[in-house]
Amino acid sequence: RELVDMGSHTLAIKDMAGLLTPRAATLLVSALREEFPDIPIHVHTHDTAGSGVASMLAAAQAGADIVDGAIDSMSGMTSQPSLGAIAANLRGTDLDTGLEMAQIGPLNTYWENVRSLYAPFESGQL
């Protein structure tokens, strides 16, 4: 409340450890949305625990205005959840992103090729 009273124009949930679960995202975003119906809510997580896509879907369904994702070839693990998976799961719903998989595909291929150049510097988690 103090942040909003001080003039914050966005509420950001930053889960840098990637431990946000779908249930926790639903509870947190729902409570914030109820308390602050006119303030945009932005949710950021990493896919460390492997539940990032499900958590971002739950956050969006609970009222988040912005959820972060990464292009598929750069997503997962210590990065953000898969943008393609988020968009595909929201297709045809009232939360449809409007992103077309045919448009994301070439970007995914490009970044997959770029990433291969940096393979020697990868964490080894892949």
Side-chain angles (χ1 to χ4, degrees):
R1 289 186 185 105
E2 287 182 46
L3 292 172
V4 172
D5 291 342
M6 291 171 53
S8 292
H9 56 85
T10 302
L11 296 174
I13 300 165
K14 298 290 185 177
D15 173 33
M16 302 307 287
L19 302 177
L20 185 68
T21 65
R23 176 81 173 130
T26 298
L27 291 171
L28 182 54
V29 173
S30 294
L32 288 171
R33 177 54 60 222
E34 185 175 325
E35 182 75 20
F36 306 106
D38 300 321
I39 303 284
I41 299 171
H42 175 188
V43 183
H44 175 91
T45 193
H46 290 252
D47 205 20
T48 312
S51 61
V53 171
S55 295
M56 294 299 92
L57 293 171
Q61 291 164 345
D65 300 284
I66 303 162
V67 298
D68 289 344
I71 194 75
D72 298 352
S73 58
M74 303 290 272
S75 69
M77 303 294 219
T78 59
S79 184
Q80 288 72 50
S82 164
L83 179 63
I86 294 169
N89 277 279
L90 294 174
R91 178 172 282 121
T93 72
D94 60 336
L95 299 174
D96 194 319
T97 65
L99 293 173
E100 295 294 330
M101 295 302 115
Q103 294 172 324
I104 293 175
L107 290 171
N108 189 45
T109 300
Y110 171 80
W111 286 110
E112 185 174 7
N113 291 332
V114 168
R115 187 173 185 176
S116 69
L117 298 173
Y118 293 90
F121 307 103
E122 287 278 350
S123 66
Q125 292 181 325
L126 298 178

